[in-house]
Short mmCIF file of all heavy atoms in Angstrom, two decimals:
data_model
loop_
_atom_site.label_atom_id
_atom_site.label_comp_id
_atom_site.label_asym_id
_atom_site.label_seq_id
_atom_site.Cartn_x
_atom_site.Cartn_y
_atom_site.Cartn_z
N VAL A 13 32.11 9.15 -41.75
CA VAL A 13 31.74 8.44 -42.98
C VAL A 13 31.76 9.39 -44.17
O VAL A 13 32.26 9.06 -45.25
CB VAL A 13 30.37 7.75 -42.82
CG1 VAL A 13 29.86 7.23 -44.16
CG2 VAL A 13 30.45 6.62 -41.81
N MET A 14 31.23 10.58 -44.00
CA MET A 14 31.23 11.57 -45.09
C MET A 14 32.66 11.98 -45.46
O MET A 14 32.98 12.13 -46.64
CB MET A 14 30.41 12.80 -44.69
CG MET A 14 28.92 12.53 -44.57
SD MET A 14 28.20 11.96 -46.12
CE MET A 14 28.29 13.44 -47.09
N ALA A 15 33.52 12.15 -44.47
CA ALA A 15 34.91 12.53 -44.74
C ALA A 15 35.63 11.44 -45.52
O ALA A 15 36.37 11.71 -46.47
CB ALA A 15 35.64 12.83 -43.44
N VAL A 16 35.41 10.19 -45.13
CA VAL A 16 36.04 9.07 -45.85
C VAL A 16 35.50 8.99 -47.27
O VAL A 16 36.26 8.76 -48.22
CB VAL A 16 35.81 7.74 -45.08
CG1 VAL A 16 36.22 6.55 -45.93
CG2 VAL A 16 36.57 7.76 -43.77
N ALA A 17 34.21 9.20 -47.47
CA ALA A 17 33.61 9.16 -48.81
C ALA A 17 34.19 10.26 -49.70
O ALA A 17 34.55 10.02 -50.86
CB ALA A 17 32.11 9.27 -48.72
N VAL A 18 34.29 11.48 -49.19
CA VAL A 18 34.84 12.58 -49.98
C VAL A 18 36.31 12.34 -50.28
O VAL A 18 36.77 12.54 -51.40
CB VAL A 18 34.63 13.93 -49.23
CG1 VAL A 18 35.42 15.04 -49.89
CG2 VAL A 18 33.16 14.27 -49.18
N LEU A 19 37.06 11.86 -49.30
CA LEU A 19 38.48 11.57 -49.51
C LEU A 19 38.67 10.50 -50.57
O LEU A 19 39.56 10.60 -51.41
CB LEU A 19 39.13 11.14 -48.19
CG LEU A 19 40.63 10.88 -48.23
CD1 LEU A 19 41.38 12.15 -48.62
CD2 LEU A 19 41.11 10.36 -46.89
N SER A 20 37.84 9.47 -50.56
CA SER A 20 37.98 8.40 -51.55
C SER A 20 37.62 8.90 -52.95
O SER A 20 38.23 8.48 -53.92
CB SER A 20 37.13 7.19 -51.17
OG SER A 20 35.76 7.51 -51.24
N LEU A 21 36.66 9.79 -53.07
CA LEU A 21 36.31 10.34 -54.38
C LEU A 21 37.42 11.23 -54.92
O LEU A 21 37.68 11.27 -56.12
CB LEU A 21 35.00 11.12 -54.30
CG LEU A 21 33.73 10.29 -54.11
CD1 LEU A 21 32.53 11.20 -53.93
CD2 LEU A 21 33.51 9.38 -55.30
N VAL A 22 38.09 11.96 -54.05
CA VAL A 22 39.16 12.85 -54.47
C VAL A 22 40.39 12.07 -54.91
O VAL A 22 41.08 12.45 -55.84
CB VAL A 22 39.51 13.83 -53.32
CG1 VAL A 22 40.76 14.63 -53.64
CG2 VAL A 22 38.35 14.76 -53.05
N THR A 23 40.67 10.94 -54.27
CA THR A 23 41.89 10.19 -54.55
C THR A 23 41.71 9.05 -55.54
O THR A 23 42.67 8.34 -55.82
CB THR A 23 42.47 9.61 -53.24
OG1 THR A 23 41.51 8.74 -52.66
CG2 THR A 23 42.86 10.71 -52.28
N VAL A 24 40.53 8.84 -56.08
CA VAL A 24 40.29 7.74 -57.03
C VAL A 24 41.07 8.02 -58.31
O VAL A 24 41.04 9.11 -58.86
CB VAL A 24 38.78 7.60 -57.33
CG1 VAL A 24 38.55 6.65 -58.50
CG2 VAL A 24 38.05 7.11 -56.11
N ARG A 25 41.79 6.99 -58.78
CA ARG A 25 42.54 7.10 -60.01
C ARG A 25 41.78 6.43 -61.14
O ARG A 25 40.96 5.55 -60.93
CB ARG A 25 43.89 6.43 -59.85
CG ARG A 25 44.70 7.05 -58.77
CD ARG A 25 46.07 6.49 -58.63
NE ARG A 25 46.24 5.15 -59.15
CZ ARG A 25 47.27 4.39 -58.85
NH1 ARG A 25 48.18 4.82 -58.04
NH2 ARG A 25 47.39 3.18 -59.35
N THR A 26 42.10 6.83 -62.34
CA THR A 26 41.47 6.22 -63.51
C THR A 26 42.01 4.81 -63.69
O THR A 26 43.21 4.58 -63.63
CB THR A 26 41.79 7.05 -64.78
OG1 THR A 26 41.36 8.39 -64.56
CG2 THR A 26 41.09 6.47 -65.99
#
Side-chain angles (χ1 to χ4, degrees):
V13 169
M14 291 300 290
V16 170
V18 169
L19 183 62
S20 67
L21 289 175
V22 171
T23 60
V24 170
R25 299 184 336 196
T26 304

